[in-house]
Amino acid sequence: MAHTALPMTEVLVVADGWQSEPDAEAVIQRAIAAAAEMVDADTGEAELAVMLTDDSGIRTLNSNWRGIDKPTNVLSFPALQPTGGSSPDDAPRMLGDIAIAYETTRKEADDEQKPFDHHLSHLAIHGFLHLIGYDHEKDDDAEVMEALETEILSQLGIPDPYADRDPHAGRERMN
């Protein structure tokens, strides 16, 4: 299952709040590399971009793309894959884009009493899994995705983010 080539991940910081998290790019790179090594998907020599934005920026994206006029923690935009064959001269295959909002991520980490880098890792992994086809619209799919997130986070030494969730409460999902 381990891949020899990992996707190229470009991290773009477009909001000032992220200046207080100088390790954010390294945290994201590490999380996505761990996820790429554990999934059964061809992500080698592909590219993705992670935009570190603020609540205002992600609210605009959420409104424009999902019709939900409020900020959220993470959004994923899988790239459309070309049909037909590829050759070594082709441009790199794009997996898509991920956007993560600083204020929402900070508030959730603080509210849940989790280290910021643990929550950021989780959001990056969650977004990456969406780019490669995982979803959580149905409970069965959500269980598969959450189990994989937990396994990847465990490889990074990060505790299960779902461990404290009330099993009888409705499933609150990330985007």
Side-chain angles (χ1 to χ4, degrees):
M1 210 183 301
H3 299 285
T4 55
L6 297 174
M8 213 267 305
T9 303
E10 182 176 2
V11 178
L12 308 163
V13 180
V14 299
D16 292 339
W18 289 98
Q19 292 174 354
S20 64
E21 301 298 336
D23 297 331
E25 181 174 352
V27 168
I28 289 167
Q29 295 281 358
R30 183 173 169 247
I32 289 175
E37 288 179 348
M38 291 191 66
V39 297
D40 188 22
D42 178 19
T43 60
E45 304 197 16
E47 293 184 3
L48 66 128
V50 179
M51 180 175 67
L52 300 179
T53 188
D54 55 19
D55 277 3
S56 175
I58 211 160
R59 179 180 184 163
T60 299
L61 290 170
N62 207 17
S63 179
N64 290 346
W65 291 96
R66 299 177 66 225
I68 300 172
D69 189 20
K70 67 178 189 174
T72 188
N73 51 15
V74 62
L75 291 172
S76 298
F77 302 95
L80 294 174
Q81 296 305 315
T83 56
S86 64
S87 70
D89 295 332
D90 285 346
R93 182 170 52 94
M94 293 301 299
L95 293 178
D97 301 314
I98 299 168
I100 302 174
Y102 177 74
E103 296 95 334
T104 298
T105 302
R106 167 55 66 198
K107 182 178 181 335
E108 289 173 348
D110 291 348
D111 288 351
E112 298 169 19
Q113 299 179 335
K114 296 177 180 176
F116 184 83
D117 63 319
H118 287 190
H119 192 49
L120 180 58
S121 294
H122 184 196
L123 295 178
I125 290 165
H126 184 88
F128 175 77
L129 293 177
H130 276 304
L131 295 185
I132 62 171
Y134 286 86
D135 208 340
H136 49 75
E137 293 303 312
K138 298 179 195 156
D139 284 346
D140 289 349
D141 294 338
E143 288 175 20
V144 168
M145 189 170 178
E146 290 170 6
L148 185 53
E149 289 170 359
T150 300
E151 184 180 355
I152 296 164
L153 289 165
S154 173
Q155 291 294 312
L156 294 169
I158 298 173
D160 179 353
Y162 302 108
D164 294 334
R165 181 174 57 200
D166 179 354
H168 303 293
R171 189 178 236 105
E172 185 177 322
R173 299 186 182 124
M174 285 186 250
N175 300 310

